[in-house]
Amino acid sequence: MAASKEDLLQKLSDCVFEMEDEEVVNVAKEYAEAGYDPLEGILKGLVNGINRASDMYEREEYFIPELLICSSAMYNALDVLRPLIPKEKSGGKCKVVIGVARGDTHDIGKNLVKIMLESANYEVIDLGRDVPVEDFVNTAKREGAKVIGLSTLMSTSMNNMAKVVDMLKQEGIKDQIKVIVGGGPISQSFADKIGADGYSVNAAEAVKLVDRLVGEPIPAA
Amino acid sequence: MLKDTMTPKERAAAIAQGKPVDRMPCNPNIANGVARVYGCKISEFNTNAKTIADAQIACYRRFGADSARIFTDLFTFAEAQGAKVKFPDDDTADLEAPAISPDVPDSELMKEIDKIKPADPYHDARLPLHLEAMKYLLDGVGDEMGCSAGVIGPFTNSFFLLGVERTLRAIHKNPEAVHKLTKVSLETAKAFADAAIKIGLTPTISEPMSSCTVVSPKVFREFSLPYLRELVDFIKSKGKGVVIHICGQTNKIWRDLADMGIAGMSIDNVASIKECKETIGMDTKIMGNVDPGGVMYSGTPDEVRLKTLECIRDGYDSPKGYMIMSGCSLPVDSPFENIDSMMNTVRELGYPVNINKLDDMLADVRKRLGVEA
């Protein structure tokens, strides 16, 4: 007897949460073969699992190795489910340029935000880590991105976040490109101070923040 | 500008005997920023032992800090065991490729790990250069201050042998591989520490990957602690005390570290001096923790003064002693006036700490900055 959609969604979530980065692929295939909605599988299964993992990280029960394997599990299953999403649903939203500001090479937070944004159908251009200020601005201009997302774990790169905002202002395009910031040392007051458009405390909130800024709500799953 | 009236060695000896001194020991932890003081490029530290030492000495003469350490980056051991390191012209070296190629499949991993040998500090990569630099440093300032040698912790070194992400995964997926790598890293660390001690320096261990910001206390206890303890015991058996620095949050492993019988625990700015004092202050000296990025690099001299005084307020009465220090190595372009501000604040305060004077100085700087206590 085929498993119910609810059972498989729970399994997808559990596999991500419990670091089953191989088993999750089988579950995703089973889910896909049963003909269930792939976007729902991503949002209610995989993203749910990574949210539970993030909660454990917040509570200091999961750490970087655990979060890394959870996100691998999520990526492995995304590879199965994402190609099944109809074209008009994927790529329907605007482009977001994302990266870790110059001065830091920690990128787990940025990677989580990327996963979440991609799951919510944003087209994410990932510049990686330790990214120079001008690369953010030039890429956003070239690609016609509406949002720049800046992440850091270290206070050493906070200055460079401010410089991205300044450079957009200098070029007179600050109104067209929103800047969001996040990461360990970052706060709402820091975002306000440097003139960023938004701050989010975690990856899930980052999606809601981008939705709010560019006015495109998550499509109903 | 205030002047020191004692050398770091005189100061340390007097404090150990309970005598008054000119000021509390202070280490801004200038690291590769010494190149900015000496006027050389950071890449010169990769080829010229005398430059490594002379830059440390120039920095000591300029700022008067109580510590000088031969240490350029975290990758010297891994490089000597086969990792590839990139050397920017004027910035700190970085890992380019781990000793074990990312192309090696998991099935071949154990075989490849078995091929990794402990490094020979007298022959491999930049290690002989560092040993030579230690001799120059000792010749230059050895009669004025204790000189230390940076030793990379075994667990941290494993990450550079296997690659950071692959090691993080292997903790859960292939624990035996991590143990093997940490064991062979321990052999390198012991050999290098031994060579440094023979020259006359005191090893200090940097073990950033053991941080609670990276791995859980459980993972630390299983994969790092046994090897770290063996390294600490080895150094102690040679008659040297050892200070450990771990970046990020460390509060959940302080007890484990103090129980090894270390001479000092250096903590980062995200950890609390007060909490550390209350947890292990009765067992070991506490060192830290002015924010290296947010304050020392990007703050003003008055902000440095404020944080320096706040740290001292939290730590000065720690039973086994306290040293004001930055939370981690300073970014290379940290302004000189901020480093001066830290040193001068400590000079002005004097030692033993007069708590009324400290509170007056704190109130003054808070008023100037318009911040609440």
Side-chain angles (χ1 to χ4, degrees), chain B residues 347-362:
Chain B
R347 286 181 185 118
E348 199 181 319
L349 179 63
Y351 191 84
V353 172
N354 174 334
I355 194 66
N356 295 324
K357 185 175 181 186
L358 173 57
D359 283 342
D360 286 348
M361 287 169 72
L362 257 176

Side-chain angles (χ1 to χ4, degrees), chain A residues 155-175:
Chain A
S155 47
T156 38
S157 59
M158 288 165 74
N159 267 359
N160 288 323
M161 290 183 154
K163 284 183 192 161
V164 171
V165 177
D166 292 343
M167 190 173 166
L168 289 171
K169 279 183 190 156
Q170 275 163 24
E171 302 207 359
I173 48 174
K174 179 71 199 65
D175 293 344

Side-chain angles (χ1 to χ4, degrees), chain A residues 19-21 57 59-60 63-66 68-69 72 105 107 111 153 155-156 159, chain B residues 165 168-169 171-173 212-217 219 252 291 293-294 297-298 331:
Chain A
M19 296 186 274
E20 299 289 349
D21 57 343
Y57 181 71
R59 297 212 306 263
E60 294 183 17
F63 294 78
I64 305 288
E66 293 76 26
L68 186 75
I69 301 173
S72 285
T105 55
D107 61 359
N111 289 343
L153 191 68
S155 47
T156 38
N159 267 359
Chain B
E165 277 211 22
L168 288 168
R169 264 176 234 286
I171 285 168
H172 288 283
K173 300 291 179 183
C212 310
T213 305
V214 182
V215 298
S216 66
V219 164
K252 289 179 177 171
D291 183 346
Y297 172 70
S298 48

Side-chain angles (χ1 to χ4, degrees), chain A residues 80-123:
Chain A
V80 178
L81 296 179
R82 198 156 37 190
L84 305 175
I85 299 174
K87 278 282 173 268
E88 63 273 17
K89 276 193 180 176
S90 70
K93 288 196 188 174
C94 72
K95 289 182 181 176
V96 178
V97 172
I98 193 171
V100 177
R102 176 49 58 84
D104 188 8
T105 55
H106 302 82
D107 61 359
I108 183 88
K110 182 266 293 171
N111 289 343
L112 287 176
V113 173
K114 180 187 174 190
I115 294 171
M116 300 294 283
L117 286 171
E118 286 182 343
S119 304
N121 282 342
Y122 285 96
E123 186 177 335

Side-chain angles (χ1 to χ4, degrees), chain B residues 127-259:
Chain B
L127 300 183
L129 190 80
H130 280 222
L131 295 180
E132 201 189 335
M134 291 177 200
K135 291 175 192 160
Y136 286 123
L137 181 67
L138 216 52
D139 286 347
V141 291
D143 52 346
E144 292 177 51
M145 68 199 303
C147 299
S148 58
V151 171
I152 297 118
F155 183 62
T156 292
N157 192 59
S158 303
F159 283 74
F160 309 140
L161 296 177
L162 183 58
V164 173
E165 277 211 22
R166 201 167 185 188
T167 310
L168 288 168
R169 264 176 234 286
I171 285 168
H172 288 283
K173 300 291 179 183
N174 193 348
E176 190 50 36
V178 182
H179 279 293
K180 271 195 167 187
L181 288 164
T182 309
K183 211 171 158 81
V184 73
S185 297
L186 169 66
E187 294 313 313
T188 299
K190 278 162 80 172
F192 187 77
D194 188 46
I197 291 167
K198 280 183 176 140
I199 292 168
L201 281 82
T202 303
T204 66
I205 302 171
S206 298
E207 186 41 289
M209 291 300 183
S210 287
S211 167
C212 310
T213 305
V214 182
V215 298
S216 66
K218 185 169 170 279
V219 164
F220 166 73
R221 286 176 194 127
E222 182 182 342
F223 292 92
S224 179
L225 183 66
Y227 306 97
L228 192 56
R229 185 186 288 123
E230 192 174 329
L231 179 58
V232 168
D233 285 346
F234 175 80
I235 294 168
K236 279 160 62 184
S237 77
K238 304 279 172 183
K240 293 283 188 182
V242 59
V243 168
I244 295 184
H245 174 78
I246 301 181
C247 312
Q249 185 52 273
T250 41
N251 56 353
K252 289 179 177 171
I253 58 171
W254 286 335
R255 182 39 52 211
D256 302 271
L257 295 161
D259 284 347

Side-chain angles (χ1 to χ4, degrees), chain A residues 24-41:
Chain A
V24 74
V25 174
N26 298 328
V27 179
K29 282 179 182 159
E30 191 183 344
Y31 180 90
E33 278 157 20
Y36 300 134
D37 178 12
L39 189 59
E40 196 176 348

